[in-house]
Amino acid sequence: MLETIAIAAVVLTGALLAFAATKPHTFRLQRSITINAPPEKIFSLINDFKSWVAWSPWEKMDPALKRTYSGAAQGQRAVYEWNGNNQVGQGRMEITESAPSSRIKIQLDFFKPFEAHNTAEFSLAGRDGSTNVTWAMYGPQPFMMRIMGVFCSPERMVGPQFETGLASLKTISEK
């Protein structure tokens, strides 16, 4: 009986590893929303990390979150580091590109609860008094993350947070 259980465990583990090996080596997830406000107004809320306190979903997950700002006050070279509870972990963001009212690109580094290095990008496209905002995150998906992705994908882990953040950004921007 014990031998059968051990063989089954080895077979299941092998199947899991083989399945994870077929997963893509990179990932990309994104969400979009239309906000009834000009791109300039929305851009200023994203381009200044100090403004994220008002709309970022992760800011509300840990009231005791420790934040550090450095580099430029806003835009390219602005840096935001955080250290929080298990829900928000520890990490660092730096704006690497900032094209006024149209695009912001961020190097996003997580250190805890697991290490990951990704890119976040906001694209803003104004039209007829409103703005379509797309929030994307993409990067490498190492083998360990592909194994974890079998049980909980980045899409399921982060997608709802993006939706919450964009909804908050919409509420603030439309005031």
Side-chain angles (χ1 to χ4, degrees):
M1 173 76 168
L2 189 56
E3 184 177 306
T4 304
I5 293 172
I7 291 170
V10 168
V11 168
L12 288 174
T13 300
L16 171 67
L17 295 174
F19 182 66
T22 67
K23 296 290 186 185
H25 291 248
T26 61
F27 78 96
R28 180 179 177 90
L29 67 99
Q30 70 180 44
R31 296 293 189 272
S32 296
I33 195 167
T34 299
I35 299 176
N36 295 318
E40 300 78 23
K41 184 174 185 179
I42 302 161
F43 181 84
S44 67
L45 293 169
I46 301 168
N47 200 47
D48 181 352
F49 284 135
K50 291 178 183 162
S51 297
W52 286 46
V53 174
W55 63 267
S56 171
W58 290 279
E59 294 285 340
K60 291 155 187 60
M61 291 180 178
D62 183 2
L65 184 69
K66 294 179 182 83
R67 302 168 191 86
T68 304
Y69 304 98
S70 61
Q74 60 187 2
Q76 194 167 355
R77 293 190 211 96
V79 175
Y80 171 56
E81 296 177 80
W82 71 92
N83 194 351
N85 62 22
N86 289 338
Q87 287 185 293
V88 296
Q90 179 184 8
R92 180 182 191 276
M93 294 190 290
E94 180 175 352
I95 297 176
T96 58
E97 293 178 32
S98 179
S101 303
S102 64
R103 184 169 175 256
I104 298 167
K105 191 172 182 181
I106 300 168
Q107 175 60 44
L108 178 57
D109 299 308
F110 298 102
F111 307 119
K112 290 181 184 176
F114 54 85
E115 189 170 343
H117 305 282
N118 301 310
T119 300
E121 193 170 324
F122 291 87
S123 301
L124 293 82
R127 191 174 98 134
D128 299 330
S130 66
T131 305
N132 185 55
V133 180
T134 300
W135 186 359
M137 183 170 70
Y138 52 90
Q141 191 160 256
F143 189 67
M144 195 61 167
M145 295 303 289
R146 288 184 273 154
I147 292 171
M148 287 175 49
V150 170
F151 302 103
C152 190
S153 71
E155 189 69 38
R156 285 187 300 206
M157 285 175 26
V158 182
Q161 307 303 339
F162 276 25
E163 292 166 9
T164 299
L166 288 170
S168 292
L169 191 59
K170 177 180 176 75
T171 299
I172 292 167
S173 298
E174 291 181 351
K175 282 185 182 178

mmCIF file of all heavy atoms in Angstrom, residues 111-138:
data_model
loop_
_atom_site.group_PDB
_atom_site.id
_atom_site.type_symbol
_atom_site.label_atom_id
_atom_site.label_comp_id
_atom_site.label_asym_id
_atom_site.label_seq_id
_atom_site.Cartn_x
_atom_site.Cartn_y
_atom_site.Cartn_z
ATOM 1 N N PHE A 111 10.526 41.592 -3.675
ATOM 2 C CA PHE A 111 11.533 40.873 -2.902
ATOM 3 C C PHE A 111 10.893 39.857 -1.957
ATOM 4 O O PHE A 111 11.460 38.804 -1.703
ATOM 5 C CB PHE A 111 12.408 41.853 -2.118
ATOM 6 C CG PHE A 111 13.010 42.919 -3.006
ATOM 7 C CD1 PHE A 111 12.735 44.253 -2.795
ATOM 8 C CD2 PHE A 111 13.829 42.574 -4.070
ATOM 9 C CE1 PHE A 111 13.278 45.237 -3.615
ATOM 10 C CE2 PHE A 111 14.376 43.554 -4.901
ATOM 11 C CZ PHE A 111 14.102 44.882 -4.667
ATOM 12 N N LYS A 112 9.723 40.192 -1.429
ATOM 13 C CA LYS A 112 8.978 39.290 -0.550
ATOM 14 C C LYS A 112 7.513 39.393 -0.925
ATOM 15 O O LYS A 112 7.059 40.467 -1.307
ATOM 16 C CB LYS A 112 9.145 39.708 0.922
ATOM 17 C CG LYS A 112 10.529 39.480 1.478
ATOM 18 C CD LYS A 112 10.570 39.901 2.935
ATOM 19 C CE LYS A 112 11.972 39.768 3.496
ATOM 20 N NZ LYS A 112 12.054 40.260 4.854
ATOM 21 N N PRO A 113 6.708 38.387 -0.855
ATOM 22 C CA PRO A 113 6.983 37.056 -0.334
ATOM 23 C C PRO A 113 7.800 36.182 -1.301
ATOM 24 O O PRO A 113 8.270 35.125 -0.911
ATOM 25 C CB PRO A 113 5.599 36.455 -0.113
ATOM 26 C CG PRO A 113 4.723 37.153 -1.091
ATOM 27 C CD PRO A 113 5.319 38.530 -1.256
ATOM 28 N N PHE A 114 7.956 36.608 -2.532
ATOM 29 C CA PHE A 114 8.825 35.897 -3.478
ATOM 30 C C PHE A 114 9.484 36.935 -4.371
ATOM 31 O O PHE A 114 8.989 38.041 -4.536
ATOM 32 C CB PHE A 114 8.037 34.876 -4.323
ATOM 33 C CG PHE A 114 6.862 35.460 -5.029
ATOM 34 C CD1 PHE A 114 6.992 36.069 -6.261
ATOM 35 C CD2 PHE A 114 5.592 35.407 -4.453
ATOM 36 C CE1 PHE A 114 5.906 36.619 -6.917
ATOM 37 C CE2 PHE A 114 4.494 35.971 -5.097
ATOM 38 C CZ PHE A 114 4.662 36.574 -6.328
ATOM 39 N N GLU A 115 10.615 36.577 -4.937
ATOM 40 C CA GLU A 115 11.332 37.510 -5.794
ATOM 41 C C GLU A 115 10.813 37.437 -7.225
ATOM 42 O O GLU A 115 10.615 36.355 -7.768
ATOM 43 C CB GLU A 115 12.828 37.206 -5.773
ATOM 44 C CG GLU A 115 13.653 38.253 -6.464
ATOM 45 C CD GLU A 115 15.141 38.091 -6.248
ATOM 46 O OE1 GLU A 115 15.545 37.370 -5.321
ATOM 47 O OE2 GLU A 115 15.895 38.703 -7.017
ATOM 48 N N ALA A 116 10.608 38.604 -7.805
ATOM 49 C CA ALA A 116 10.180 38.691 -9.203
ATOM 50 C C ALA A 116 10.567 40.070 -9.731
ATOM 51 O O ALA A 116 10.592 41.051 -8.979
ATOM 52 C CB ALA A 116 8.670 38.496 -9.320
ATOM 53 N N HIS A 117 10.887 40.119 -11.006
ATOM 54 C CA HIS A 117 11.282 41.369 -11.652
ATOM 55 C C HIS A 117 10.456 41.511 -12.927
ATOM 56 O O HIS A 117 10.621 40.728 -13.859
ATOM 57 C CB HIS A 117 12.784 41.361 -11.947
ATOM 58 C CG HIS A 117 13.597 41.098 -10.719
ATOM 59 N ND1 HIS A 117 13.845 42.064 -9.772
ATOM 60 C CD2 HIS A 117 14.177 39.959 -10.252
ATOM 61 C CE1 HIS A 117 14.553 41.541 -8.794
ATOM 62 N NE2 HIS A 117 14.761 40.268 -9.059
ATOM 63 N N ASN A 118 9.558 42.493 -12.917
ATOM 64 C CA ASN A 118 8.614 42.671 -14.009
ATOM 65 C C ASN A 118 8.567 44.125 -14.462
ATOM 66 O O ASN A 118 9.202 44.997 -13.875
ATOM 67 C CB ASN A 118 7.212 42.237 -13.570
ATOM 68 C CG ASN A 118 7.179 40.790 -13.124
ATOM 69 O OD1 ASN A 118 7.665 39.915 -13.820
ATOM 70 N ND2 ASN A 118 6.627 40.535 -11.952
ATOM 71 N N THR A 119 7.775 44.357 -15.483
ATOM 72 C CA THR A 119 7.536 45.704 -15.979
ATOM 73 C C THR A 119 6.044 45.982 -15.870
ATOM 74 O O THR A 119 5.225 45.127 -16.217
ATOM 75 C CB THR A 119 7.983 45.820 -17.456
ATOM 76 O OG1 THR A 119 9.376 45.516 -17.541
ATOM 77 C CG2 THR A 119 7.741 47.221 -17.990
ATOM 78 N N ALA A 120 5.714 47.159 -15.367
ATOM 79 C CA ALA A 120 4.326 47.624 -15.356
ATOM 80 C C ALA A 120 4.255 48.791 -16.325
ATOM 81 O O ALA A 120 5.220 49.553 -16.465
ATOM 82 C CB ALA A 120 3.902 48.057 -13.962
ATOM 83 N N GLU A 121 3.141 48.905 -16.992
ATOM 84 C CA GLU A 121 2.998 49.965 -17.986
ATOM 85 C C GLU A 121 1.568 50.497 -17.983
ATOM 86 O O GLU A 121 0.614 49.723 -17.937
ATOM 87 C CB GLU A 121 3.343 49.404 -19.359
ATOM 88 C CG GLU A 121 3.535 50.427 -20.420
ATOM 89 C CD GLU A 121 4.114 49.809 -21.687
ATOM 90 O OE1 GLU A 121 4.949 48.895 -21.608
ATOM 91 O OE2 GLU A 121 3.686 50.251 -22.763
ATOM 92 N N PHE A 122 1.461 51.811 -17.999
ATOM 93 C CA PHE A 122 0.171 52.475 -18.117
ATOM 94 C C PHE A 122 0.144 53.188 -19.458
ATOM 95 O O PHE A 122 1.053 53.947 -19.770
ATOM 96 C CB PHE A 122 -0.021 53.505 -17.001
ATOM 97 C CG PHE A 122 -0.187 52.904 -15.645
ATOM 98 C CD1 PHE A 122 0.917 52.606 -14.865
ATOM 99 C CD2 PHE A 122 -1.449 52.645 -15.137
ATOM 100 C CE1 PHE A 122 0.767 52.051 -13.608
ATOM 101 C CE2 PHE A 122 -1.607 52.087 -13.878
ATOM 102 C CZ PHE A 122 -0.491 51.789 -13.110
ATOM 103 N N SER A 123 -0.912 52.942 -20.238
ATOM 104 C CA SER A 123 -1.106 53.633 -21.517
ATOM 105 C C SER A 123 -2.408 54.414 -21.418
ATOM 106 O O SER A 123 -3.424 53.874 -20.981
ATOM 107 C CB SER A 123 -1.190 52.635 -22.667
ATOM 108 O OG SER A 123 -0.016 51.858 -22.724
ATOM 109 N N LEU A 124 -2.363 55.678 -21.831
ATOM 110 C CA LEU A 124 -3.533 56.546 -21.779
ATOM 111 C C LEU A 124 -3.822 57.061 -23.178
ATOM 112 O O LEU A 124 -2.928 57.567 -23.848
ATOM 113 C CB LEU A 124 -3.293 57.730 -20.846
ATOM 114 C CG LEU A 124 -3.147 57.410 -19.357
ATOM 115 C CD1 LEU A 124 -1.743 56.952 -19.024
ATOM 116 C CD2 LEU A 124 -3.496 58.629 -18.547
ATOM 117 N N ALA A 125 -5.065 56.900 -23.604
ATOM 118 C CA ALA A 125 -5.484 57.379 -24.929
ATOM 119 C C ALA A 125 -6.755 58.195 -24.771
ATOM 120 O O ALA A 125 -7.829 57.654 -24.483
ATOM 121 C CB ALA A 125 -5.711 56.203 -25.874
ATOM 122 N N GLY A 126 -6.609 59.518 -24.925
ATOM 123 C CA GLY A 126 -7.757 60.414 -24.777
ATOM 124 C C GLY A 126 -8.583 60.481 -26.049
ATOM 125 O O GLY A 126 -8.057 60.381 -27.156
ATOM 126 N N ARG A 127 -9.913 60.610 -25.834
ATOM 127 C CA ARG A 127 -10.807 60.742 -26.985
ATOM 128 C C ARG A 127 -12.139 61.306 -26.522
ATOM 129 O O ARG A 127 -12.784 60.747 -25.627
ATOM 130 C CB ARG A 127 -11.017 59.377 -27.631
ATOM 131 C CG ARG A 127 -11.714 59.459 -28.973
ATOM 132 C CD ARG A 127 -11.744 58.101 -29.599
ATOM 133 N NE ARG A 127 -13.042 57.506 -29.325
ATOM 134 C CZ ARG A 127 -13.762 56.889 -30.234
ATOM 135 N NH1 ARG A 127 -13.303 56.736 -31.441
ATOM 136 N NH2 ARG A 127 -14.920 56.396 -29.912
ATOM 137 N N ASP A 128 -12.548 62.409 -27.125
ATOM 138 C CA ASP A 128 -13.854 63.024 -26.853
ATOM 139 C C ASP A 128 -14.125 63.243 -25.361
ATOM 140 O O ASP A 128 -15.196 62.911 -24.866
ATOM 141 C CB ASP A 128 -14.981 62.166 -27.459
ATOM 142 C CG ASP A 128 -14.867 62.036 -28.964
ATOM 143 O OD1 ASP A 128 -14.337 62.979 -29.607
ATOM 144 O OD2 ASP A 128 -15.290 60.995 -29.504
ATOM 145 N N GLY A 129 -13.149 63.776 -24.643
ATOM 146 C CA GLY A 129 -13.347 64.101 -23.239
ATOM 147 C C GLY A 129 -13.163 62.955 -22.272
ATOM 148 O O GLY A 129 -13.297 63.134 -21.068
ATOM 149 N N SER A 130 -12.885 61.773 -22.771
ATOM 150 C CA SER A 130 -12.626 60.647 -21.879
ATOM 151 C C SER A 130 -11.268 60.042 -22.227
ATOM 152 O O SER A 130 -10.643 60.408 -23.217
ATOM 153 C CB SER A 130 -13.736 59.592 -21.989
ATOM 154 O OG SER A 130 -13.726 59.018 -23.270
ATOM 155 N N THR A 131 -10.813 59.131 -21.399
ATOM 156 C CA THR A 131 -9.497 58.517 -21.585
ATOM 157 C C THR A 131 -9.601 57.018 -21.364
ATOM 158 O O THR A 131 -10.164 56.574 -20.356
ATOM 159 C CB THR A 131 -8.481 59.102 -20.582
ATOM 160 O OG1 THR A 131 -8.459 60.529 -20.724
ATOM 161 C CG2 THR A 131 -7.089 58.540 -20.822
ATOM 162 N N ASN A 132 -9.067 56.265 -22.297
ATOM 163 C CA ASN A 132 -8.945 54.821 -22.105
ATOM 164 C C ASN A 132 -7.595 54.570 -21.423
ATOM 165 O O ASN A 132 -6.550 54.954 -21.939
ATOM 166 C CB ASN A 132 -9.021 54.065 -23.430
ATOM 167 C CG ASN A 132 -9.008 52.568 -23.205
ATOM 168 O OD1 ASN A 132 -9.834 52.038 -22.474
ATOM 169 N ND2 ASN A 132 -8.050 51.893 -23.808
ATOM 170 N N VAL A 133 -7.637 53.956 -20.250
ATOM 171 C CA VAL A 133 -6.431 53.668 -19.480
ATOM 172 C C VAL A 133 -6.224 52.158 -19.472
ATOM 173 O O VAL A 133 -7.122 51.405 -19.100
ATOM 174 C CB VAL A 133 -6.551 54.183 -18.025
ATOM 175 C CG1 VAL A 133 -5.287 53.863 -17.237
ATOM 176 C CG2 VAL A 133 -6.844 55.671 -18.009
ATOM 177 N N THR A 134 -5.028 51.734 -19.871
ATOM 178 C CA THR A 134 -4.664 50.316 -19.829
ATOM 179 C C THR A 134 -3.499 50.151 -18.875
ATOM 180 O O THR A 134 -2.492 50.848 -18.979
ATOM 181 C CB THR A 134 -4.275 49.798 -21.225
ATOM 182 O OG1 THR A 134 -5.403 49.962 -22.097
ATOM 183 C CG2 THR A 134 -3.886 48.335 -21.182
ATOM 184 N N TRP A 135 -3.670 49.233 -17.931
ATOM 185 C CA TRP A 135 -2.628 48.916 -16.953
ATOM 186 C C TRP A 135 -2.171 47.507 -17.277
ATOM 187 O O TRP A 135 -2.952 46.553 -17.236
ATOM 188 C CB TRP A 135 -3.218 48.994 -15.564
ATOM 189 C CG TRP A 135 -2.274 48.843 -14.412
ATOM 190 C CD1 TRP A 135 -0.926 48.628 -14.436
ATOM 191 C CD2 TRP A 135 -2.640 48.904 -13.031
ATOM 192 N NE1 TRP A 135 -0.432 48.563 -13.164
ATOM 193 C CE2 TRP A 135 -1.464 48.731 -12.278
ATOM 194 C CE3 TRP A 135 -3.848 49.092 -12.361
ATOM 195 C CZ2 TRP A 135 -1.466 48.732 -10.879
ATOM 196 C CZ3 TRP A 135 -3.841 49.088 -10.988
ATOM 197 C CH2 TRP A 135 -2.667 48.913 -10.246
ATOM 198 N N ALA A 136 -0.902 47.345 -17.608
ATOM 199 C CA ALA A 136 -0.352 46.042 -17.965
ATOM 200 C C ALA A 136 0.836 45.710 -17.079
ATOM 201 O O ALA A 136 1.528 46.602 -16.576
ATOM 202 C CB ALA A 136 0.079 46.032 -19.431
ATOM 203 N N MET A 137 1.075 44.430 -16.906
ATOM 204 C CA MET A 137 2.284 43.944 -16.237
ATOM 205 C C MET A 137 2.764 42.743 -17.030
ATOM 206 O O MET A 137 1.970 41.888 -17.428
ATOM 207 C CB MET A 137 2.005 43.550 -14.785
ATOM 208 C CG MET A 137 3.275 43.111 -14.054
ATOM 209 S SD MET A 137 3.084 42.914 -12.268
ATOM 210 C CE MET A 137 2.062 41.464 -12.162
ATOM 211 N N TYR A 138 4.068 42.704 -17.255
ATOM 212 C CA TYR A 138 4.632 41.593 -18.012
ATOM 213 C C TYR A 138 6.059 41.339 -17.559
ATOM 214 O O TYR A 138 6.697 42.184 -16.932
ATOM 215 C CB TYR A 138 4.571 41.873 -19.514
ATOM 216 C CG TYR A 138 5.152 43.188 -19.952
ATOM 217 C CD1 TYR A 138 6.486 43.308 -20.304
ATOM 218 C CD2 TYR A 138 4.352 44.338 -20.007
ATOM 219 C CE1 TYR A 138 7.016 44.526 -20.702
ATOM 220 C CE2 TYR A 138 4.867 45.553 -20.408
ATOM 221 C CZ TYR A 138 6.203 45.638 -20.753
ATOM 222 O OH TYR A 138 6.724 46.848 -21.152
#
